[in-house]
Amino acid sequence: MAHGIVIWPDGVLDTPTERVEEFGPALDALLERMMKALLAAEGAGIAANQIGVSKRVAWVADGAGSFFEIVNPEILEQSEKVVLEEGCLSVPGEWHEVPRFRVVKVRYQDRSGAWHERTAEDRLAHVFQHEIDHLDGKVFLHRLSALKRDLVRRKMRRLKRAEEEAAQEGKA
């Protein structure tokens, strides 16, 4: 688990996350932990389940060098189908073309519980879709053929075994 990031096909990544009902110090602490992992991994976004926490919370890069949190997000509208190259912190080293939408309208809460709606285009729309997929229990590989997904699954299992063996050797 590089930088505390869960590697797919871990079950937490394939399970829909739970809605956040309580806003306060516990959510703030989760967001801080997620941000540390995100910055260490140099990603464009991160979902809570990527650090093993099944909560409907994510960070999204705004495209201008900063991030904002999204809590209990949902996509309200989407338009203009596109195919984009995509990778994931939980699927290291893998990049594939994925069908997405160029424009999305999203409704979400911030850490205080206030609701927001935002229409996003291009890169921001892409990151919203990717992170919300995570919160719905899907990695981008679920949008590919079963054959491609199975090939990547095998690679990720080998990677996880190698990391576990390296960790065991480090303890000896």
Side-chain angles (χ1 to χ4, degrees):
M1 235 189 332
H3 311 295
I5 306 289
V6 175
I7 302 299
W8 184 78
D10 191 291
V12 73
L13 297 171
D14 290 330
T15 305
T17 55
E18 301 169 11
R19 287 185 60 80
V20 172
E21 301 295 340
E22 293 186 32
F23 295 81
L27 178 58
D28 291 341
L30 173 59
L31 285 163
E32 183 176 324
R33 194 170 136 215
M34 291 169 62
M35 180 54 71
K36 285 180 183 174
L38 175 59
L39 293 175
E42 300 178 0
I46 191 168
N49 54 348
Q50 288 184 274
I51 63 164
V53 178
S54 187
K55 287 291 183 185
R56 200 160 180 79
V57 179
W59 281 103
V60 173
D62 68 1
S66 53
F67 298 88
F68 60 97
E69 73 260 9
I70 59 172
V71 180
N72 299 325
E74 56 188 291
I75 295 176
L76 302 175
E77 298 173 16
Q78 47 197 20
S79 62
E80 300 180 39
K81 290 182 180 182
V82 294
V83 175
L84 301 166
E85 187 173 67
E86 193 163 326
C88 179
L89 298 176
S90 291
V91 191
E94 292 294 321
W95 291 86
H96 298 274
E97 290 191 344
V98 178
R100 293 285 185 190
F101 291 91
R102 193 185 78 74
V103 181
V104 295
K105 183 176 183 179
V106 179
R107 181 175 187 248
Y108 60 92
Q109 292 173 279
D110 61 25
R111 69 177 65 216
S112 72
W115 284 99
H116 304 270
E117 280 190 13
R118 186 169 187 168
T119 299
E121 298 179 357
D122 302 317
R123 180 77 174 139
L124 180 56
H126 184 191
V127 177
F128 265 129
Q129 291 169 86
H130 181 98
E131 299 311 328
I132 292 171
D133 267 2
H134 271 302
L135 300 176
D136 290 341
K138 299 176 190 160
V139 295
F140 77 99
L141 301 169
H142 289 107
R143 297 189 176 276
L144 304 179
S145 71
L147 176 62
K148 283 185 181 178
R149 191 169 48 252
D150 191 48
L151 290 171
V152 176
R153 179 181 287 115
R154 290 183 205 165
K155 285 183 189 177
M156 293 301 108
R157 285 186 174 147
R158 284 193 301 270
L159 174 66
K160 285 173 75 169
R161 276 194 302 273
E163 285 183 356
E164 289 167 0
E165 290 170 5
Q168 289 296 340
E169 289 175 12
K171 290 180 182 178

